[in-house]
Amino acid sequence: MSTIFKGSLRGYICEDCREFISNVDVLLYLPYRETRLPDSPANGKDAFHVVTKEEAAQRKGLLIDKKTTDINGDFEFEINERYLNSDFDIDFVCGSVPPKHPKPKREELVQFHITTLAMQSELEKQAQDQNSRWNYTIAHKWWCYIRGHFFDSWVICGHLMNCKTNKPIANATVTAMDADFLTDDTLGVATTDATGHFRIDYSAADFKKTFLSPWLNIETDPNFLSFQSGPDVYFKAELAGTKLIDETKAEARKNVGYCLCVNLCSEIAVTDPGDTFPSAWTGIGTKFSSSYGTSAPDFDAEGYASFDKNVLFSKINLTGQAALKSAAGHPIEYRFSVSDATLPNDSLINPPLDGFTKIVGKYPDLFVPGIVSKLERKVFSLINNQISVYSAQSDFDDEGWFDVNHAIERTLISRGLTPADLALYNLIDVDPLITIDTAVLTSAPNVPDSFSAGQPIPAVHDIPVEKFAIRFEIREVINKAANQFGFIDGEKILNSAIMNNNPIYRKLAIKELEESTLCSPINGTIHAKYTLYHPYLASGSLHLNSNSPSIDRDVLDGVINTAAVKRINDNAALNDSPLDNLVRCTYSLKLYSSTRKHNGDDGDSDGGSPLEQLFFYDENQS
């Protein structure tokens, strides 16, 4: 007569990440009682360990049966009644690990002793409950070692959550990268499930790639003098085109092991449309906060943004978060307005409220249509799975209050859906609350284009500082027809933000060409003439290079490389001793420059393309 013993084999990757150990052979032995390896502990026969060839040979005659685990790691043995009162040793031979990896490159498969089990007590449990099963989960340190050492199987298990609410973010794409000295490697990509969980499997070949792969693979650690064998892992994550996680190699987890367990969190909220959360204006673009302070993104007392003393220009996103409904279930509206009257940002009072007359959505051309939300289907759909919601003039009322609910309903209808379909979607808070054009606010005239290279610019044409205060208001709509509104905490005023939309004034010439003709060969000492001016000038430089590779250098004349906002010279020598090494060739002189103008997402590209002056130098020209 036989009795069925049911078991299941699993392995720990992380505390909350286990996997079924399928397609491995489980071996059932009579106890290995009398003999013990010299180096084994007293309870060695009970401890999980690698079975040596010598131990396997000594126990060969004790083998009772062998079974292969199914897809769920389950196995069953028939236990003869004569063995019911006996203990059993349970081993397994690991021929594969999940996901299906090739067998290890060795002549013999590796065998492990799991434990010694008192069979009678276990069978009694299973007799009382037909669903009962003996479950064994291999400890993290052992299972990760087996996976990696014998099968080159590396794994990342993690969760992606919202930093503030700790709610999981589902359906997001997570990419794991390895930071390398040469080229960063992509280890793998996964999609988070309903609990925010993701898993990425990879092998050493994925982080040992070089430009010579597959002929030459090696791990090229960024800190190559302290070479380590494991990858340095950092993450990217996005949902519906919105960046949730954007780590850099500087944030990489160094030299990770075979198993990496991570918890990632994103400031971007992914919520049900019915959820409520605090509404606030928190920033300008992705770089700046909307507050005075001493942190890197903050505005200083004068109105400059960040440590770099940036000024705002062009179209800017006023960013933050706003729920669709208040805690009472009423729709939410918000409004931005601008005042020409400012105070220092460290002032304890704000500019007068009656000065905020330039209301976004009401003041001509101040509002710019832009994305304000994204919708992601809770259950994937081939049609309308992701929907971007853009603001429109019709979403504002006559007083400039913006109705994000109207924007969403308008967008759903334009896609052939109805407002009721909103319940099918999650709301992705993409940060922008509204977009404005600062060029509508600034009015400082540009420097007249009447000054030649090297000619001074009179102070009368200096570009003045322009500062503005920005106000954010938010309310719940109880009954708009009856003019009933509720106060919601979240109103905020930035007392001073400096803005500028003037281009850099730049002129460049070669003095000797102006004294002859622009096509004449020149020789002797060559002089540059230049004028470079902007009130928020960040950098300026001159660079000289020849058509041949012999000359390629910066020109340092004591003016161009100063910190002044006006950098003007009508006699900058390009080849004074000891750099009097120009030879017969064509040369290019380039004037580079940049400003501290920034839109909160990108710096000013106004000076991105340099001014260029070509000349032909001939030392033999008379």
Side-chain angles (χ1 to χ4, degrees):
M1 180 178 177
S2 299
T3 303
I4 302 300
F5 166 62
K6 296 179 289 185
S8 184
L9 195 57
R10 295 173 183 161
Y12 267 120
I13 292 174
C14 305
E15 183 177 350
D16 58 350
C17 186
R18 294 185 300 172
E19 61 186 4
F20 300 125
I21 302 178
S22 59
N23 196 35
V24 301
D25 290 335
V26 179
L27 309 179
L28 192 66
Y29 288 92
L30 288 176
Y32 182 44
R33 293 185 179 88
E34 300 299 329
T35 58
R36 180 165 52 86
L37 296 179
D39 296 332
S40 299
N43 62 344
K45 68 187 182 69
D46 295 324
F48 190 99
H49 63 268
V50 178
V51 177
T52 64
K53 291 181 179 180
E54 292 77 14
E55 180 183 348
Q58 291 176 1
R59 298 169 60 199
K60 187 175 181 180
L62 301 175
L63 181 64
I64 300 296
D65 202 354
K66 177 175 71 172
K67 297 293 181 181
T68 301
T69 58
D70 64 16
I71 192 171
N72 295 317
D74 294 341
F75 59 89
E76 294 183 0
F77 283 107
E78 292 184 10
I79 307 298
N80 191 287
E81 61 181 359
R82 61 179 171 165
Y83 296 130
L84 291 181
N85 294 323
S86 176
D87 292 345
F88 284 90
D89 287 344
I90 301 179
D91 291 15
F92 80 102
V93 176
C94 198
S96 177
V97 296
K100 185 71 174 178
H101 277 261
K103 294 181 179 180
K105 295 180 179 179
R106 49 194 296 150
E107 294 181 0
E108 298 179 8
L109 299 182
V110 63
Q111 180 174 334
F112 297 89
H113 173 67
I114 297 176
T115 190
T116 299
L117 183 68
M119 184 62 68
Q120 185 174 16
S121 61
E122 187 60 39
L123 290 174
E124 288 175 355
K125 294 178 186 177
Q126 296 186 12
Q128 294 173 5
D129 181 2
Q130 62 179 1
N131 294 319
S132 176
R133 182 176 289 274
W134 177 76
N135 293 303
Y136 188 89
T137 303
I138 301 173
H140 161 88
K141 66 176 183 179
W142 265 110
W143 185 236
C144 289
Y145 170 76
I146 293 169
R147 291 174 52 86
H149 181 75
F150 294 104
F151 294 90
D152 187 27
S153 179
W154 302 60
V155 63
I156 299 169
C157 275
H159 285 89
L160 177 60
M161 318 294 283
N162 177 263
C163 298
K164 299 175 183 176
T165 65
N166 206 36
K167 289 185 177 180
I169 300 177
N171 301 319
T173 300
V174 179
T175 302
M177 303 291 296
D178 169 42
D180 267 356
F181 180 69
L182 298 175
T183 303
D184 289 0
D185 304 316
T186 299
L187 299 178
V189 181
T191 301
T192 57
D193 64 15
T195 67
H197 182 265
F198 65 91
R199 172 175 171 152
I200 294 173
D201 290 276
Y202 62 102
S203 69
D206 293 313
F207 60 86
K208 293 183 177 180
K209 297 173 184 175
T210 72
F211 64 95
L212 293 176
S213 294
W215 301 281
L216 175 62
N217 293 326
I218 189 170
E219 170 64 353
T220 52
D221 194 287
N223 300 313
F224 59 92
L225 293 179
S226 58
F227 174 82
Q228 300 291 340
S229 60
D232 297 337
V233 182
Y234 64 98
F235 293 92
K236 308 283 185 181
E238 68 171 39
L239 178 62
T242 300
K243 289 183 180 180
L244 304 178
I245 301 291
D246 193 20
E247 294 181 349
T248 66
K249 63 171 61 181
E251 302 169 272
R253 298 143 188 86
K254 301 295 184 181
N255 190 36
V256 305
Y258 297 126
C259 297
L260 173 62
C261 309
V262 295
N263 288 310
L264 304 177
C265 83
S266 172
E267 297 287 344
I268 302 296
V270 181
T271 64
D272 186 273
D275 290 347
T276 61
F277 48 85
S279 300
W281 170 41
T282 58
I284 296 175
T286 57
K287 182 175 175 66
F288 308 133
S289 79
S290 56
S291 303
Y292 163 72
T294 56
S295 297
D298 294 336
F299 279 77
D300 66 12
E302 296 178 84
Y304 290 103
S306 83
F307 293 159
D308 299 326
K309 287 191 170 293
N310 296 115
V311 299
L312 303 178
F313 90 115
S314 189
K315 298 175 177 63
I316 61 174
N317 291 321
L318 303 177
T319 57
Q321 61 181 32
L324 301 185
K325 307 289 183 183
S326 67
H330 299 132
I332 282 179
E333 295 179 338
Y334 54 83
R335 178 170 71 172
F336 283 96
S337 55
V338 179
S339 174
D340 295 325
T342 65
L343 288 171
N345 284 319
D346 60 353
S347 173
L348 298 178
I349 60 174
N350 299 123
L353 296 183
D354 58 7
F356 289 88
T357 57
K358 297 178 179 178
I359 300 173
V360 181
K362 187 175 179 181
Y363 191 80
D365 301 321
L366 183 55
F367 162 68
V368 178
I371 189 169
V372 292
S373 187
K374 285 185 179 179
L375 306 177
E376 171 90 6
R377 287 271 299 203
K378 295 175 181 177
V379 179
F380 178 81
S381 172
L382 292 174
I383 301 174
N384 290 326
N385 187 62
Q386 299 173 353
I387 300 176
S388 295
V389 179
Y390 287 84
S391 55
Q393 186 63 51
S394 62
D395 302 323
F396 294 87
D397 67 11
D398 293 339
E399 295 180 341
W401 288 94
F402 179 75
D403 186 349
V404 67
N405 291 278
H406 182 273
I408 291 174
E409 291 177 3
R410 172 180 51 77
T411 302
L412 288 172
I413 293 171
S414 72
R415 292 295 192 99
L417 302 170
T418 69
D421 290 319
L422 179 59
L424 303 175
Y425 289 85
N426 278 322
L427 184 72
I428 304 175
D429 178 15
V430 293
D431 273 359
L433 295 169
I434 217 71
T435 304
I436 67 172
D437 188 355
T438 65
V440 175
L441 301 172
T442 57
S443 59
N446 297 331
V447 177
D449 192 23
S450 57
F451 302 100
S452 302
Q455 184 178 355
I457 299 175
V460 67
H461 295 300
D462 286 357
I463 298 171
V465 175
E466 294 186 274
K467 297 185 180 184
F468 303 89
I470 305 174
R471 181 188 184 192
F472 173 71
E473 303 169 85
I474 189 165
R475 68 185 185 183
E476 60 176 337
V477 182
I478 300 172
N479 188 328
K480 195 154 191 171
N483 204 33
Q484 295 179 348
F485 305 99
F487 170 79
I488 293 181
D489 186 26
E491 180 172 348
K492 183 176 187 177
I493 293 177
L494 179 64
N495 282 358
S496 184
I498 300 175
M499 301 182 187
N500 178 273
N501 285 283
N502 301 98
I504 301 176
Y505 191 84
R506 303 184 301 171
K507 292 293 179 72
L508 177 66
I510 299 296
K511 182 178 180 181
E512 285 69 28
L513 286 181
E514 289 188 333
E515 293 173 352
S516 57
T517 69
L518 294 179
C519 295
S520 300
I522 54 178
N523 58 19
T525 302
I526 308 302
H527 299 85
K529 299 169 63 176
Y530 59 85
T531 298
L532 186 60
Y533 166 63
H534 194 275
Y536 308 109
L537 192 64
S539 66
S541 63
L542 282 172
H543 190 83
L544 179 68
N545 67 276
S546 59
N547 210 30
S548 66
S550 60
I551 303 295
D552 189 2
R553 64 174 183 248
D554 288 331
V555 177
L556 304 177
D557 63 353
V559 176
I560 192 64
N561 53 319
T562 65
V565 299
K566 286 184 180 178
R567 306 181 193 183
I568 302 171
N569 197 337
D570 65 354
N571 201 43
L574 304 183
N575 58 332
D576 265 349
S577 179
L579 300 175
D580 52 348
N581 58 345
L582 299 192
V583 297
R584 187 175 187 271
C585 195
T586 299
Y587 291 84
S588 169
L589 179 67
K590 294 180 180 178
L591 174 62
Y592 293 89
S593 57
S594 66
T595 69
R596 303 198 309 274
K597 293 188 294 184
H598 205 291
N599 66 10
D601 294 301
D602 299 293
D604 175 27
S605 60
D606 180 56
S609 299
L611 290 182
E612 183 178 23
Q613 177 66 63
L614 300 175
F615 64 91
F616 183 76
Y617 185 85
D618 187 356
E619 69 269 37
N620 298 319
Q621 184 74 20
S622 58

